[in-house]
Amino acid sequence: MAEVFIGKKVEKTRVFTYEDIEVFSAVSNDFHSAQSDAGSGRRIVHSALLAAAFNGLIKDQLPGPSAAILEQSFNYLNPVYANERMTLTVEIIAVQASKNLAIIQTICTNQDDVKVLDGESVVYIPDMEVVEKSGE
């Protein structure tokens, strides 16, 4: 069973490398100049690669492998550059137990604690068990 409660949160720190960008560019056929070092000397991480990292975090940790992501929205607030440390945070902010749904807030901050992304995901959890928040 996937135990859920409002306020349940998971964080993961991740560094997107030049190799991550190159592999994603090849797979997606997205060779936009911002991702290929043209001009600035700094490579920007693809927005879809950042979104995929949140998908992995939701399916791996919160709420877990049974989750099916039904909807997602992201606001890209600042660029994410290669080789910067990013903190990805997912937090359950609402639960619709009768429909086995959870709304998960997604936030990403960079190594300077600047918010670079925020958004929400609506997730179906077939084996959801709503529990009281423990430890308080």
Side-chain angles (χ1 to χ4, degrees):
M1 294 295 269
E3 292 185 350
V4 300
F5 56 85
I6 294 173
K8 189 172 184 179
K9 181 190 297 191
V10 172
E11 288 186 356
K12 180 178 183 176
T13 300
R14 168 83 197 267
V15 174
F16 294 94
T17 65
Y18 286 105
E19 182 179 3
D20 293 332
I21 295 169
E22 290 170 7
V23 169
F24 192 84
S25 292
V27 170
S28 65
N29 201 32
D30 181 355
F31 296 97
H32 187 274
S33 62
Q35 281 85 26
S36 64
D37 247 347
S40 72
R42 296 179 75 188
R43 295 183 79 179
I44 296 176
V45 175
H46 294 80
S47 56
L49 179 55
L50 191 55
F54 276 103
N55 293 350
L57 185 57
I58 288 169
K59 293 202 165 241
D60 287 345
Q61 295 186 37
L62 182 70
S66 67
I69 299 169
L70 303 178
E71 296 177 31
Q72 285 185 305
S73 64
F74 296 111
N75 300 306
Y76 297 95
L77 308 171
N78 290 291
V80 173
Y81 294 103
N83 297 320
E84 288 185 336
R85 188 184 75 252
M86 297 292 135
T87 301
L88 291 79
T89 305
V90 293
E91 180 179 358
I92 297 173
I93 59 170
V95 174
Q96 293 179 326
S98 64
K99 295 182 179 183
N100 286 46
L101 297 176
I103 299 174
I104 297 176
Q105 180 181 49
T106 52
I107 295 175
C108 182
T109 55
N110 66 17
Q111 60 201 15
D112 298 320
D113 205 30
V114 173
K115 189 186 292 187
V116 296
L117 173 148
D118 66 18
E120 287 186 357
S121 297
V122 177
V123 179
Y124 173 71
I125 311 164
D127 61 346
M128 179 168 75
E129 178 184 358
V130 179
V131 297
E132 293 296 318
K133 187 174 179 179
S134 59
E136 291 192 5

